[in-house]
Amino acid sequence: MPPSDAAMHANPEPTVWVLTDGKAGDELQCLGVAERLAASPVIRRVAPRKPFAWLMPRGPIDPREAPDRPGSPLSRPFPDIAIASGRRAVAYLRALKKASNGATFTAFLKDPRTGPSAADLIWVAEHDRLRGDNVLVTPTAPHRLTQEKLAAARAAPPPFIAALPRPRVAVLVGGDSRHHRFTAPDIARLSGGLDALAASGANLMGSPSRRTQAPLAEAVAAVFARHGGWWWDGKGENPFLALLANADAILVTADSTNMLGEATATGKPVLVFEPSGGHPKITALIANLIRAGAAHPFRGQFDGSPYAPMDSTPVIADAIRRGWLRHRSELGLAGS
């Protein structure tokens, strides 16, 4: 029997671990979900040595990081909920479940590559193949943005954004990744498209990422300079939230699925620029967003119209909370 709404709020702040190997993308997604649970998550990072790291995700954890070892990322007290992501975290989540005698409710974000039994609940995006009774599927990935944060950033835009007339286009530039490369022709194609977009009357504001190589950043900055746009130089606070919140459209490079998900949470048209390379899963994600009316291939022009924000994070958090409460009930802990 599913927990009632009253039971759902009987213990609104479970203790939560975020369990990863420290990879920024994985940790960001886990933190986004944990924060939607109204929890103050504890970050636990695993660091298996060779050859244990080579055997992940199916092999055992590094014995040096066993729950009973000093300094272990799995040291007591065990949490009510553990949210994990990344290949190296799979075995540790399994070990945590065993060490807690099954008391910890485990959730894994993305395909663990070991099947649905890897956790009590698994989240995957639509473009992943894994399915099962305990597998939650959503169109986009979780993140740390909330509608409240976006509203606050819209209410008080920084001066450099407030000075730009509408329509404003936020330009979020990534860089070379595992599956994409920005070749010289790609950089020229992006620059030409941005020139055309600015010439059409759009006002550009944007920022590079940590992966943006110098030739790409310099080429985009030159376009902004020609058209009076605002380009973050990397100094001071990252303007990412302000850019998203105050844009009328958002241009995102396809090398970052996280940025694509965050952009669709705004409800503003997302213009997707695809550099060389690619991956079937990323292609499928973009196709899904295009079908939903949220994304549009970047053609050097303003395309699309507003839509209902797409935010999978609260959906995932709610599924974890309900699963945890069912788990507590099965253990005889409901109402304690």
Side-chain angles (χ1 to χ4, degrees):
M1 181 176 179
S4 66
D5 288 341
M8 284 286 291
H9 297 283
N11 191 342
E13 292 195 17
T15 56
V16 179
W17 283 6
V18 163
L19 189 65
T20 73
D21 66 0
K23 183 179 177 183
D26 292 335
E27 195 164 282
L28 180 149
Q29 291 184 355
C30 291
L31 284 169
V33 173
E35 289 164 356
R36 298 293 181 101
L37 288 166
S40 299
V42 174
I43 296 174
R44 296 291 182 101
R45 293 176 179 148
V46 305
R49 300 165 297 176
K50 302 172 184 177
F52 303 102
W54 296 339
L55 302 174
M56 304 295 180
R58 297 185 180 277
I61 68 171
D62 186 334
R64 182 189 60 175
E65 296 187 317
D68 58 349
R69 298 295 295 272
S72 167
L74 303 183
S75 60
R76 293 174 181 271
F78 300 130
D80 296 318
I81 298 172
I83 304 172
S85 188
R87 179 176 62 88
R88 292 181 178 86
V90 176
Y92 286 84
L93 195 65
R94 188 167 59 238
L96 173 61
K97 187 73 172 180
K98 182 178 179 180
S100 70
N101 292 319
T104 296
F105 183 84
T106 58
F108 195 87
L109 306 184
K110 295 188 289 195
D111 188 345
R113 306 297 183 187
T114 58
S117 64
D120 294 311
L121 185 141
I122 297 172
W123 164 82
V124 296
E126 284 180 354
H127 53 266
D128 280 309
R129 295 179 180 178
L130 184 68
R131 297 293 185 271
D133 292 342
N134 65 325
V135 179
L136 175 66
V137 181
T138 67
T140 57
H143 48 72
R144 300 183 76 180
L145 285 181
T146 65
Q147 295 305 311
E148 291 77 13
K149 289 179 181 177
L150 290 168
R154 278 193 294 269
F160 61 83
I161 288 180
L164 290 175
R166 293 186 181 276
R168 305 178 187 130
V169 177
V171 180
L172 307 178
V173 180
D176 290 351
S177 67
R178 183 178 176 186
H179 301 296
H180 287 95
R181 289 290 180 274
F182 283 81
T183 64
D186 291 330
I187 294 173
R189 182 163 54 92
L190 176 58
S191 298
L194 289 172
D195 265 322
L197 181 62
S200 74
N203 289 286
L204 307 181
M205 54 186 190
S207 69
S209 74
R210 288 173 294 183
R211 291 184 290 103
T212 309
Q213 62 269 41
L216 174 58
E218 291 166 1
V220 174
V223 175
F224 278 54
R226 283 195 292 274
H227 297 279
W230 185 87
W231 179 250
W232 185 45
D233 60 6
K235 298 176 182 177
E237 185 178 354
N238 190 318
F240 181 72
L241 176 60
L243 292 172
L244 285 180
N246 293 281
D248 298 296
I250 302 164
L251 188 152
V252 180
T253 57
D255 53 285
S256 175
T257 58
N258 279 347
M259 283 200 305
L260 284 167
E262 289 163 333
T264 58
T266 67
K268 300 299 175 63
V270 178
L271 312 176
V272 183
F273 177 85
E274 298 189 59
S276 296
H279 188 277
K281 289 186 177 182
I282 298 175
T283 300
L285 168 62
I286 294 170
N288 288 341
L289 295 178
I290 290 173
R291 280 195 295 271
H296 311 269
F298 179 52
R299 304 185 181 93
Q301 62 189 34
F302 194 117
D303 284 315
S305 56
Y307 51 91
M310 300 175 64
D311 188 355
S312 298
T313 315
V315 176
I316 300 167
D318 183 65
I320 292 174
R321 179 183 291 278
R322 289 182 178 275
W324 169 60
L325 287 169
R326 283 193 297 269
H327 184 65
R328 281 168 52 85
S329 179
E330 292 164 1
L331 294 176
L333 298 175
S336 62

